Amino acid sequence: MTTDNDRPGVVVRVPATSANLGPGFDSLGLALDLHDAVEATLLADAGVHVQVEGEGADELDLGEGHLIVRAMRVAFDRMGAVQPAGIRLRCLNRIPHARGLGSSSAAICAGILAARALAGTAGPRDAGATGPGELTDADVFALATELEGHPDNVAPCLAGGLTIAWSDHLGPAHMVKLKPHEDVRPVALIPGFRLSTEEARGLLPKDVPHSDAAANAGRAALLVAALTQTPEPGLLMAATEDRLHQDYRAPAMPRTADLVRRLRAAGLPAVVSGAGPTVLVFATRDTQDLIASEVGTEWLIQPMNVDTVGAGVLFPETR
């Protein structure tokens, strides 16, 4: 229930993302024009109230354990802001969960950005703190990476476009944003089944052959070039070859692995999106119509554009 003492809310909009993109394991990411929207309001009365429409509406934890709430709490602490007595979230979720489209990164980024925008209304800062509202964009990226565990999804979610992310040894994460060519048409093939990132990561070996690492380094560099110039299907096919993670994860998602193989055999540059099980195809104007002939009814074919803006706080409180 809203009272006269409740603070004005904000609305945060965050895009879906696809990480790895084939050879760019834990480094390359792409923002997609499929978005979640979160309205966050600080309440005078204690308690957390989370209302979810769309993906995640059946989640069991719609209180303090909700990922957006947890990210907000950490961000308030990091800024030295007093934790609000209560939080209300209204979430309109379109990003599928546990499908390899960055839903957890989107939630983390939404929570941090909402907390940053609301920090000045949360209350006086703790003694000796650097002060609420003083998270820079670099700080937001660093905190999101810390909470997510790796930067490849949070980078495109925050910045938009095509991103290259990396971390210094025991140091902060960094990213570079690039603009993909306008003729690159990402098409997500989204299955009805799910796969957790933790399960997919658990299948990766600790060591890989030097030849595989060298092959992926070359393909990742080629992919950056292929996505930022006029796309050529042949070049995209070569650039999306992977030896570091997709084959190792195939036992956990055999239908995804089979679809990737069939699409590539048809000359379509298909990759596993993030940890899967969604498949991402880099279509062009000439190849987009070929996808449907290789995909069965089990998969939702969702053509997308690249989100070039990234996450942002919207005013006023409207979606």
Side-chain angles (χ1 to χ4, degrees), residues 43-249:
L43 306 178
D45 296 331
V48 173
H49 310 276
V50 181
Q51 176 184 342
V52 178
E53 179 183 343
E55 289 285 336
D58 57 348
E59 289 181 5
L60 297 178
D61 197 335
L62 296 179
E64 288 286 353
H66 193 276
L67 184 54
I68 296 177
V69 176
R70 294 185 350 236
M72 291 181 71
R73 295 292 193 194
V74 173
F76 281 129
D77 283 342
R78 192 62 55 93
M79 291 182 287
V82 171
Q83 290 287 347
I87 296 174
R88 183 182 67 226
L89 299 180
R90 294 175 177 170
C91 307
L92 177 59
N93 293 345
R94 295 189 177 94
I95 304 173
H97 287 193
R99 302 295 207 290
L101 289 170
S103 61
S104 63
S105 292
I108 288 169
C109 293
I112 296 172
L113 290 176
R116 181 172 72 168
L118 293 167
T121 68
R125 63 184 179 181
D126 294 337
T130 57
E134 294 187 9
L135 279 181
T136 66
D137 288 348
D139 294 332
V140 170
F141 174 52
L143 180 55
T145 299
E146 178 185 328
L147 295 179
E148 176 68 0
H150 37 86
D152 51 340
N153 276 113
V154 298
C157 183
L158 290 170
L162 172 67
T163 57
I164 307 170
W166 72 99
S167 299
D168 296 330
H169 180 63
L170 300 179
H174 307 273
M175 69 167 157
V176 171
K177 175 182 176 179
L178 301 172
K179 183 180 179 180
H181 194 279
E182 61 184 9
D183 286 345
V184 173
R185 306 295 176 91
V187 178
L189 309 178
I190 306 171
F193 55 91
R194 299 184 175 193
L195 178 68
S196 72
T197 300
E198 292 76 14
E199 180 183 353
R201 279 190 172 269
L203 295 172
L204 299 179
K206 293 182 178 180
D207 301 296
V208 297
H210 185 278
S211 58
D212 289 348
N216 265 55
R219 294 302 193 274
L222 181 61
L223 183 57
V224 171
L227 291 177
T228 53
Q229 63 186 29
T230 302
E232 300 178 17
L235 190 61
L236 282 168
M237 282 293 296
T240 50
E241 292 179 3
D242 165 70
R243 298 186 190 179
L244 290 188
H245 66 102
Q246 293 185 165
D247 286 346
Y248 294 110
R249 289 167 162 170

